[in-house]
Amino acid sequence: MRLPAKGLVIAACCGSVDAHDSHPILPAVDRLARLHRAGLAAAPPDLPALEYARRTLMREIDHWVAINYSRRPSAAYLHTESLSSVLDRMAETQVRAWRLLLSATATDPLVHSAWTYLAELTDGYHDLVTEVESGRRRLPLAQPWEITAAAGARSRCW
C-alpha cells in the first residue's frame, strides 16, 4: 500500500477524513491534529495526558510503517526522522496556522509565514513519500525514546 498523498494528509489535519474510505494512517493524523487543537486550550495539568495520547498515535503510525515498509532496500539513504514525526509536525503546523488565521488579519505577515511553512512541510512530505516509494530513501523504524516510553522506563542515556 502506498503512503497517503499530501492533500489527503492536510485534509485529515482539517478533520476531513472518512475512516472507511481512507488510508490506514489518515485517522491517526486526524486524531493527532485534534490533540494539537486540544493542547492549545488545555490546562497545564492536562498536557501530559495529551502528550501521551499523541505519542501513542505516533507509535501506531510507525508500527504501520515498519510492517509495510520494512522490506525496502537497505542501500537506500536513511531519513533522519520517522514518518510519524513528520506527520505530527504537519498536524501541529496546520492547527497553529489555522488558529493564527482566525486570530489575526489575513494580511498579517505572521499568517503568511505560518502558511508558507505549512506549504514547505507539505512539499517536503511529498518529496519524502516519492523517495521512499521509489526505494531511494528509507524510514527509521523506531526512535529510541519511543521504545523506552513504551516500556515504561526512563533511559539512562538522557
Side-chain angles (χ1 to χ4, degrees):
M1 176 175 273
R2 299 185 68 177
L3 293 168
K6 64 182 182 178
L8 293 175
V9 171
I10 293 299
C13 291
C14 297
S16 298
V17 62
D18 182 355
H20 301 290
D21 297 328
S22 69
H23 190 282
I25 289 177
L26 294 178
V29 173
D30 173 50
R31 291 193 304 272
L32 283 171
R34 289 175 194 269
L35 289 168
H36 281 293
R37 280 191 289 280
L40 291 176
D46 297 329
L47 292 176
L50 292 172
E51 178 70 10
Y52 179 81
R54 204 170 57 76
R55 293 292 177 179
T56 300
L57 286 170
M58 292 173 72
R59 279 191 298 276
E60 289 175 12
I61 292 170
D62 288 336
H63 179 73
W64 185 91
V65 169
I67 290 169
N68 291 280
Y69 282 86
S70 62
R71 296 184 185 180
R72 298 297 181 198
S74 61
Y77 291 107
L78 180 64
H79 191 62
T80 57
E81 60 184 332
S82 69
L83 185 67
S84 69
S85 294
V86 174
L87 293 170
D88 181 61
R89 193 166 58 254
M90 287 174 69
E92 179 182 20
T93 302
Q94 190 281 331
V95 166
R96 291 183 178 276
W98 185 253
R99 172 77 76 138
L100 188 57
L101 182 63
L102 294 176
S103 64
T105 63
T107 57
D108 187 326
L110 289 175
V111 172
H112 176 74
S113 294
W115 287 96
T116 299
Y117 181 60
L118 179 60
E120 290 173 348
L121 283 176
T122 303
D123 288 343
Y125 169 81
H126 173 76
D127 293 345
L128 176 61
V129 166
T130 300
E131 289 182 348
V132 167
E133 290 182 345
S134 70
R136 292 188 313 254
R137 186 158 305 270
R138 60 190 168 97
L139 295 164
L141 297 180
Q143 297 172 352
W145 54 87
E146 291 296 333
I147 295 169
T148 303
R154 182 177 163 89
S155 171
R156 290 181 222 157
C157 298
W158 47 76

